[in-house]
Amino acid sequence: MVSREDLVVKSLGPCRIDSPMLPLLEQRKRSYYNVDEADRVLFDDTASALTGRGVPVDQIPGFEPAGPRRKIFFDPSKTRAGVVTCGGLCPGFNDVIRALVMELHFLYGVQRIHGFCNGYQGFIPKYKRPVLELTPQFVSQINEQGGTILGTSRGEQDPAEIVDCLERMGINVLFVIGGDGTLRGAQAIAREVEARGAKIAVVGIPKTIDNDIMFIDQSFGFQTAFSTGAEVIQTAHAEAKASPNGIGLVKLMGRHSGFIACYSSLARNDANFVLIPEVPFMLDGERGFLSVLRKRVQRSGHAVIVVAEGAGQDLTPGSDERDASGNPRFNDIGVFLKQKITEDFAAANLELNLKYFDPSYFVRSVKANPFDAVYCLRLAHNAVHAAMAGRTEVVVSRWHGRFVLLPIPLAVRARHTVDPNGDLWLSVLESTGQPPVFG
């Protein structure tokens, strides 16, 4: 249960400076399509949830709306901004960087914007990473490229050293673009700033190709990722249909959350089986996955399987290895399934033509599609508005279709996953025709 207190956004202090956005705001009339800065976006969106709270309307939890404020905290002429990108690659990194720079420079008049290279390493002296001057001219075409012009890295760095760097350079606002681990780092930075009594706003833009950050309708880059995944599924379907007993096996990203696998499968509607981390499955037995797959191929002549990288990890040999961010290294479920399927068809003395597709790094490295490009722009605009108004330890979110400010502690409280009882997974079951459980 989320409370009103969970949704309170931290502020560096009262806003006393007229915003450069004021002329635009004074011309705008109230409508259903905008939310006044004094209003709230309700957390709940069903009558039963609201009734279940059993409290008056003014006590119902609501988000602070994102968007420009009439008064701001920082004087733009004296503001210095920093931008950093962290974690794995994701379509849209460069779109966000570009939009941040353009909004800061042209709408607010902030002239000094610095890009820190290779994630949080960029603040730490021992790594000797360069600092880039981000100007409109420098970033004007970067949205045509995949990846991030600032580079990235994984792993924690000392928040005290990071804040030392921010203070040495006179940075007033820091924009952190990354996933849940990155946001935990941003939270540590914000709290170190607070402990020192400094006035530095730390604002996050949520990046996760797996779409696994809580209380965010959708993270940027996700639509591009599943669109690319859908094209691979279409190719796998063509390969499977072309050969006797053909199977197309596609492994997509998704360590703990199967959103890419689900949406990619629905986009083309060619998959017959979708396996995700949230829904355990058994391989063996009359109702196990291998038996059901074999019967499907014997009946229809082919099959397409989509598996998220984190699915079925309980079926593979365990590993104690971890990556630089402390995440356990997963075994390759795609290669494992390929082997098990091959062995099962051989034991049944059946012909098999299996093609295996693993587009993981291709999916995350392409440039953003038009939808994500627009989404990145709007997230960046709202991040700038929040930072200039002195909001801190906050991430920009979209909740029930409206842009809101989400406190980072709430964003990293838990992981967003596919609900096996939700309408998305029901759509997958309807689309594929697979049984609800294997085993």
Side-chain angles (χ1 to χ4, degrees):
M1 179 70 74
V2 172
S3 68
R4 292 177 64 205
E5 291 73 22
D6 291 326
L7 302 180
V8 174
V9 176
K10 288 185 177 180
S11 174
L12 295 176
C15 296
R16 299 190 175 97
I17 299 170
D18 283 342
S19 170
M21 299 283 293
L22 196 55
L24 283 176
L25 297 178
E26 288 178 336
Q27 296 299 316
R28 189 169 69 162
K29 297 179 180 179
R30 291 289 299 276
S31 79
Y32 173 80
Y33 298 99
N34 67 66
V35 183
D36 188 79
E37 61 186 81
D39 206 342
R40 288 292 181 270
V41 176
L42 296 185
F43 179 84
D44 301 306
D45 70 339
T46 63
S48 61
L50 289 170
T51 303
R53 296 241 178 218
V55 297
V57 172
D58 61 352
Q59 295 181 29
I60 293 174
F63 291 98
E64 180 177 342
R69 283 7 185 195
R70 294 170 179 80
K71 295 281 187 179
I72 57 177
F73 180 81
F74 290 106
D75 180 349
S77 67
K78 300 175 179 62
T79 298
R80 190 186 295 259
V83 181
V84 64
T85 56
C86 305
L89 293 181
C90 180
F93 259 140
N94 285 333
D95 296 74
V96 174
I97 296 169
R98 181 182 187 275
L100 287 172
V101 173
M102 296 301 191
E103 184 78 357
L104 284 164
H105 183 93
F106 291 112
L107 272 295
Y108 281 92
V110 175
Q111 302 297 310
R112 295 166 297 180
I113 309 167
H114 307 283
F116 294 87
C117 292
N118 297 109
Y120 287 139
Q121 290 183 5
F123 300 95
I124 310 301
K126 71 177 181 180
Y127 292 106
K128 297 181 170 58
R129 306 300 187 201
V131 176
L132 304 182
E133 295 297 318
L134 300 180
T135 64
Q137 294 75 25
F138 184 81
V139 303
S140 63
Q141 301 296 320
I142 63 172
N143 55 318
E144 296 301 318
Q145 310 166 26
T148 164
I149 61 161
L150 297 179
T152 184
S153 67
R154 295 185 183 273
E156 297 180 11
Q157 301 297 334
D158 183 359
E161 286 194 76
I162 294 174
V163 178
D164 286 345
C165 176
L166 296 176
E167 291 186 328
R168 281 195 301 269
M169 294 185 62
I171 301 292
N172 308 109
V173 296
L174 175 64
F175 298 98
V176 177
I177 312 168
D180 58 345
T182 302
L183 294 179
R184 287 188 178 91
Q187 180 178 358
I189 295 168
R191 294 193 172 176
E192 176 67 21
V193 168
E194 185 179 20
R196 298 186 186 194
K199 298 297 184 183
I200 302 172
V202 180
V203 177
I205 297 97
K207 179 264 352 167
T208 164
I209 200 168
D210 293 346
N211 197 39
D212 60 358
I213 298 179
M214 283 294 288
F215 308 114
I216 294 175
D217 283 350
Q218 204 169 94
S219 54
F220 79 77
F222 175 69
Q223 287 227 6
T224 303
F226 83 70
S227 298
T228 306
E231 294 176 5
V232 177
I233 293 172
Q234 186 178 38
T235 300
H237 184 230
E239 286 281 358
K241 289 184 68 176
S243 303
N245 287 1
I247 293 180
L249 174 58
V250 181
K251 187 187 81 171
L252 295 174
M253 302 186 86
R255 291 174 57 85
H256 302 284
S257 304
F259 288 105
I260 290 181
C262 290
Y263 275 86
S264 298
S265 301
L266 293 173
R268 290 297 182 191
N269 201 16
D270 287 331
N272 307 111
F273 302 95
V274 177
L275 306 174
I276 60 174
E278 297 89 337
V279 182
F281 62 94
M282 293 179 60
L283 286 176
D284 301 315
E286 184 64 22
R287 294 187 298 174
F289 172 71
L290 293 175
S291 176
V292 176
L293 170 64
R294 187 183 344 108
K295 291 174 183 176
R296 152 77 198 192
V297 172
Q298 288 178 299
R299 181 176 67 252
S300 301
H302 73 281
V304 175
I305 307 161
V306 178
V307 58
E309 62 180 314
Q313 289 299 309
D314 59 313
L315 305 174
T316 64
S319 172
D320 295 328
E321 295 184 22
R322 293 184 174 271
D323 62 20
S325 297
N327 301 310
R329 292 192 183 278
F330 283 3
N331 292 304
D332 194 324
I333 186 63
V335 172
F336 176 80
L337 282 180
K338 178 183 177 183
Q339 177 186 344
K340 292 297 182 182
I341 293 168
T342 302
E343 292 172 355
D344 181 73
F345 271 69
N349 197 29
L350 291 172
E351 180 180 1
L352 173 66
N353 289 283
L354 190 154
K355 301 297 189 296
Y356 177 48
F357 300 81
D358 181 0
S360 300
Y361 291 99
F362 177 75
V363 166
R364 75 178 196 171
S365 303
V366 298
K367 74 174 185 177
N369 68 14
F371 178 93
D372 271 326
V374 173
Y375 190 36
C376 288
L377 181 90
R378 299 189 70 189
L379 285 171
H381 285 181
N382 284 300
V384 172
H385 298 323
M388 295 303 294
R391 302 303 191 267
T392 190
E393 200 176 327
V394 69
V395 61
V396 180
S397 168
R398 191 174 64 181
W399 187 246
H400 303 322
R402 297 190 185 275
F403 287 96
V404 299
L405 302 182
L406 170 65
I408 290 178
L410 187 59
V412 300
R413 176 188 292 180
R415 192 184 303 277
H416 186 210
T417 56
V418 176
D419 183 356
N421 299 303
D423 59 357
L424 173 61
W425 185 242
L426 182 61
S427 290
V428 171
L429 296 179
E430 292 177 81
S431 174
T432 61
Q434 72 187 61
V437 294
F438 294 103

